[in-house]
Amino acid sequence: MANGYLAGGVVILSADGSGLPVVETAPPECPVGYRLKSGWDGAGTSITQTWELVPEEGTAQEAALALSRMQFQSLPDEAAYLVRALADQYVDGMTCYGPDNDAGMPVTRVNYYGDLYRFIGSGVQVMQPGWNPVAAPSLWARILPGQEGSGDEGPQPWEQPDSTNGYSEGDRVTHNGRLWESLVDDNVDEPGTDNGFRWKDLGPAEGVDA
């Protein structure tokens, strides 16, 4: 097995065996109207080949996906979370638009290893190596389940936010077997620890343990 490095989505094999193991994978079956697009995932202990189904150019599937992705960035967070599979995958070199951009573009949201992130950097920026949502948290805010009603099936378990993605007034979450509603914006406190100033206890959360 060869070793190498992942740079800008390209695998660079090393001659001296340094770097991470490069793991090639078999392509999945490809239905009619689609093609397979190969990529690489270097987030773990190896660089593993990935596959994505992409609609063939000129097909109805391709047109529908393109239209959906154009509309995606204009959705509010709660709706975007429900269809987060439409978000573009983060890649180095992509152009991202912040909330104060002069281009009049919607704020960029990306999918990074299954989580949805909102770009909070200034203006318009081209992503450089090391600027991904995990490595550069000052540029990104993770959209948490339960924020602005974004849970797939009602209120979701509370997760500890940071200073960039606190819960908003009206958000509902479950925590320690109870249902809570945020009373303020930018709420980063844990429900039940704030003496009722930032979270309202709505009673037992039926059917959940969190």
Side-chain angles (χ1 to χ4, degrees):
M1 180 181 295
N3 282 25
Y5 301 90
L6 186 61
V10 177
V11 174
I12 302 174
L13 298 179
S14 62
D16 59 2
S18 60
L20 297 175
V22 178
V23 180
E24 294 183 283
T25 61
E29 292 187 10
C30 186
V32 175
Y34 291 84
R35 60 183 174 83
L36 289 172
K37 180 180 178 181
S38 176
W40 298 93
D41 176 4
T45 57
S46 65
I47 301 173
T48 303
Q49 189 175 22
T50 61
W51 297 94
E52 178 184 1
L53 284 174
V54 180
E56 290 283 4
E57 185 175 352
T59 63
Q61 295 96 322
E62 190 264 347
L65 180 60
L67 178 60
S68 297
R69 283 184 166 165
M70 284 189 289
Q71 296 172 333
F72 172 81
Q73 297 294 358
S74 298
L75 294 174
D77 281 350
E78 64 270 25
Y81 184 88
L82 293 174
V83 291
R84 55 193 178 278
L86 289 173
D88 290 330
Q89 298 290 327
Y90 173 89
V91 292
D92 292 342
M94 70 186 304
T95 299
C96 293
Y97 298 89
D100 61 347
N101 76 83
D102 295 330
M105 296 293 290
V107 174
T108 298
R109 281 177 296 222
V110 299
N111 189 321
Y112 191 67
Y113 295 107
D115 288 325
L116 186 63
Y117 291 85
R118 183 194 315 109
F119 184 64
I120 58 174
S122 60
V124 182
Q125 300 189 41
V126 177
M127 297 297 97
Q128 305 299 314
W131 288 16
N132 67 68
V134 172
S138 63
L139 295 177
W140 300 94
R142 182 183 168 214
I143 299 173
L144 299 176
Q147 289 185 321
E148 300 186 47
S150 60
D152 290 13
E153 299 178 356
Q156 299 293 293
W158 176 83
E159 294 186 31
Q160 178 64 64
D162 56 34
S163 60
T164 66
N165 65 341
Y167 289 92
S168 299
E169 181 179 358
D171 288 349
R172 291 189 176 188
V173 299
T174 59
H175 189 57
N176 290 334
R178 302 189 71 80
L179 180 64
W180 305 84
E181 181 176 302
S182 178
L183 300 175
V184 295
D185 290 334
D186 301 319
N187 190 351
V188 299
D189 289 348
E190 179 182 357
T193 65
D194 63 327
N195 294 319
F197 292 112
R198 302 178 72 83
W199 289 99
K200 181 179 180 180
D201 186 350
L202 299 179
E206 296 183 6
V208 299
D209 297 324

